[in-house]
Amino acid sequence: MSFYNAKAENVSSPSVILDDMILTKDMPTTAGSRMLDSYMSLFDAEAVSKLRAAGYAIAGKAAVGEFAFDLIGESAYGGALVRDGKLVSAACEILLSGEADAAVTLDVNGSVRRASAQSGLVSLKPTYGTVSRFGTVPVACSGECVSVVAETADKCAEIFSVIVGHDAKDGTSLSASQCQAALARASAPKKVCVIEDFLQEVDADVKDKIDAACAAFEKAGATVEKISVPTLLAARAAWNILFSAELCNNVSRYDGVKYGYRAESFSGIDELYTNSRTEAFGKLLKTAIIYGSETLSTENYMKVYDKALRTRRVIAEKFAELFAEYDAVLLPAVSKMAYTEEMVAEKHDLCYVENLYTAPASVTGLPSVVCGGVALIGPALSDGKLLSYAKIVTGEEN
Amino acid sequence: MRYETVIGLEVHVELATKSKIFCSCSAHSYGAEPNTHVCPACSGMPGMLPVVNKRVVDYGMKAGLMLNCDINRITTFDKKSYYYPDLPAAYQTTQWFAPVAVNGLVEIETSKGKKGVRIKQIHMEEDAGKLVHDIREDTTHVDFNRTSVPLIEIVSQPDLSSAEEVEAYLERLKNLLRFARVAECEMAHGTMRCDVNLSVRPEGSDKLGVRTEMKNMNSVEAIKRAIEYETARHIDALENHTEILVQETRRWDDIKGKSYAMRSKETAGDYRYFPDPNVMPVQIDDEWFESIKSSLPEFPEVKQKKYEEALGLSSYDAEQITRSIALCECFEAAYAVTGNAKDAANWMISEVMSILNARQMTYDQLTLDGRALGELIKLVSDGTVGRANGKKILAAMFDDTAISPKIYAETNGMIVSNDTGLIEKTVKAAIAEAPKAVEDYKNGKEKALMAIYGKCMKELRGNCDPQVLKTILIDMINQM
Ligand SMILES: [Zn+2]
C-alpha cells in the first residue's frame, strides 16, 4: 500500500503533491487505472508549468481512485488505502504527514472535498474556468476543476494564486480579469445560510461541524439563517447524469489501439477493444460507463440528458437568487466523518449517493471551500472571499 | 408503371485551411509520410483541449453563403461517439444541434433545364485518419495525418432525380466552393466525397420509397454507375418482387458494377450525440458576419454575364475565364491596366491557360499578378515588345511572380527597335546566304520567303516590327 504512484527524489521546499490525474512529462500519470499504468505524457499540465515556474517542487503523484470520480480513492488499481479502519485519500495523507505543503488535484466528483472534510484540511474547488484544465485527464469536462488542498486557507489561497489565470489552450478558460477577480479576499460575511434539506441524512458528528461553523460565523458578526431549498437536492441527479455521460465518452479513447493497456489475447479489432477494456477497467468505472452510455442513447437523450442540462440551469438560477441575499451557502461536505471498506463492499457505487453534498458546486461551476469539515459555496469568482470566510470556521490566525 | 428516382446527397468537402480544426498541425498532408502531421490533440491523447480554428468557421460561413444558406449566428459543436481505430479519441467532433448553415438553395442546369436543389444544412466537423493494411505482415497500421482536418458536410434535400442531375449538382458545388476559395473539391484527392441516398417511387407519387444509402463514393463516374444500378435494382424489386427492399447502407463495388448490403454490424449503432462541453458555442456577431459576406466573390454566372454584356467578350471567352476565380481575378486586373477586355481575354485563354495546361497546374493554382500581365499586354500591343518575346516574358513571369515585364524586356534585349539600317544589313546577309530560296521565291514560291524572314527575325532576336521586316525583305529581293 503506497500513497505515491510516483515519488520525486530530494524534494526541496515549498513542494506540491499532484494527484495522478494531472499530467507530468517527467513522471507517469496513471489516472489510478490499469489502463494507463506507466503512461507518460508528452507535456506538463498548465497548472504544473505554472507551479514549476513559480519555484514549487513537485513532490510526486498521489494515488487516486480510477479516473478520480469515486468516493475517496477506493477504486484505485493499486487498491483502497486504509488507515485505522477508515478509507483515506493519498493526497490528504501525504499532506498530513508533512511530506508536501499543498496538493493540486482534479476534483471530478467531490472525492477531494470529501477527503479534506474528513481529514480536517482546507480545500478549494475554484470557480469553473479560473484554472486551466489543459493537461488534466478528462473525465467530466463540464464540471471538473483543478483544485487545491492544504492545511490552511491561506496556503490554499497562495497556491490558487499561482495556478489561476486565463489559458488560450483551454476553450472554457475565463478572461484574465475574471481570473484576477477570483483572488479578491474579504473580511467576514454579513449573511450566511444553511440549507436544511442537506442535513436530513447526515450523522450527528457532521451536524456538530455545521453547528460549530454557524457559531463561528455568528461570533464574527454574521447573520446565519437556516432555510429550505429542496430544488438544490436535484443537483445530484443532474450531475450524475452529466458526469457519467461525459465520462463514458472521455474514456472511450482508451481502446488498446494507440497507448495504454492492450489485452494479450484477441482476434480482430472488436475483441481487441473488448478484451483490453474488460481487463483494464475496474467495476466502478464499468458501471459509470454503462450509466453514461444509457443516458446518451437516442432513446434517452431528451428525457434524461437534456433534462439534466435544463436542471443544471435551474440549480444555477436558484443559487443566483440565494446570492442576491447571502454571501455564502453552508452545506455538509459528507454524510459521515469516515467511510469504511464494508460500506463500499456493500454498495460499490456509493459515490453516486454521497455526492449529494458536492454535486451542487460541481454541476454549477460555483466555487466551494471545505473547511472545518463543512462546505461553503459562494457566487462565481468569490474563491478568495470563501477562503477568507474559511479562516473564521477554522479559527486560522491572520 | 413508370418510376422516378429520388436522390439526396451528403457531400463531404475538405476545407482548404492551413491548419487542422482544433490544433495547429498542418491540414495538408496529401502524400506525406504517415503520422508526420500529428500532435497529442489530434491523436487523442488525454489532457489536450480543443481550440476552434476561427478560419474553419470563416470557411464554413463562406460555404453557407455561396450555397444561399441562412447562417446560424450561434453555432455549436457536438460529440459523435463510435469506435474505429482511425478515430483516436473514439468520438468525432461535429455539429449536430446547431450547424453553421441551414436552408440553402443551389441552382443546377441539365439537358432538362434549370432546377433548384434545396440544401438542408452544412455542418463543420473533423475528419478521421486512415487505415493502411499491410498484406505481407497481415497487420493494419493507422495514419493520423488526416485526423482533425476540417470538413464540411453538405446535406441536400431529396431533390435530385437522375445521375445527370447529380453530376450537375456536384459540378456546381465544386465550382461555387472553389470560387469562394474554401475548398479544392477534388474527388481523386479525397477532398470531396459523397454518400448517395436513393429511393424509387411510382411517378407522380408523393410518398417516398424505401431508401438505401451508398457511402464514400469517390468519383463522379462511379456515382453515376451506382445510381443507375441502384435505380434498376429498386425497380426490379418493386416490379418483379425479386427481393424485399430494406433501409440499409450499401457498399458500391465499382469494379463489379454492383452494390452490396453492408453487414448490419458495420452500420448499426447509436452515435450518442451530445454537446461538446470543451468547445464554447461560437457566436457570430454582425461585424464578423459582414466581413465574411463582403469577402465573397460574385457568382460565376454573374461575372460571365458582366463579361459578355459590359465588356463585350464572346460567351465562349467569358465562360472559359469564369471557370476559376483565379483566372477571373487575373483577367480583371489585366483589363484594369490595358482597358482592352478582348485583348486581355485573348491573352488569358491562348497564353495563360495554355501555360497552366502545359505545366499540369489547375486554374486555381494561378499566382500570376494580373496587373503585371496587363503591362505585358500593353508592351506587346503598342509594339514595344514582339509577340514571341511577349510569350517568353510571360513564361518567365510564371516562374518568378516578382518580374516586371518592362524591366525584364530591357535587361534581356527584347525591346523592338525599328533601326532600318540594322534591318537592311541583316536582310542583305540573309539573302546572300540563301540564293536558292531567293530563286524559288522569284519563281512564284511565296513560301520560300518565310525561311529568310524567320532567319532575319531570329538574327534580330525578335525585336523588329514584323511588317517593317517583311516590306524591307520583299523590296530588297525585288531590286535584285
Ligand atoms: Zn494536431
Side-chain angles (χ1 to χ4, degrees), chain B residues 1 49 81 167 208 279 299 328 353 379 406 420 435-436 447:
Chain B
M1 200 187 290
L49 295 164
S81 298
E167 185 176 18
L208 289 169
V279 186
F299 276 34
C328 290
M353 286 167 80
L379 290 175
K406 183 140 195 290
T420 42
K436 174 89 170 64
K447 262 191 172 169

Side-chain angles (χ1 to χ4, degrees), chain B residues 20 22-26 37-43 48 144 147-148:
Chain B
K20 294 185 176 183
F22 296 121
C23 62
S24 53
C25 291
S26 162
H37 291 57
V38 292
C39 73
C42 58
S43 58
M48 295 295 284
F144 290 137
T147 56
S148 286

Side-chain angles (χ1 to χ4, degrees), chain A residues 23 39 43 133-136 141 168-172 249 252-254 258-259 270 273 277 293 296-298 301 305, chain B residues 40 43-49 51 79 81 83-85 88-91 97 265 270 272-275 277-278 280:
Chain A
L23 294 164
Y39 176 79
F43 54 93
R133 287 181 295 111
F134 177 86
T136 59
C141 298
K169 300 185 294 302
D170 176 355
T172 64
N249 169 268
S252 300
R253 76 188 71 215
Y254 310 115
K258 306 163 291 276
Y259 51 78
D270 290 343
Y273 289 152
R277 291 165 66 86
S293 177
L296 284 177
S297 69
T298 305
Y301 183 87
Y305 192 82
Chain B
S43 58
M45 293 186 186
M48 295 295 284
L49 295 164
V51 178
K79 291 182 171 195
S81 298
Y83 287 97
Y84 205 65
Y91 60 81
F97 295 105
K265 212 175 162 192
D270 188 331
R272 298 190 161 76
Y273 290 97
F274 75 106
N278 285 321
M280 294 286 99

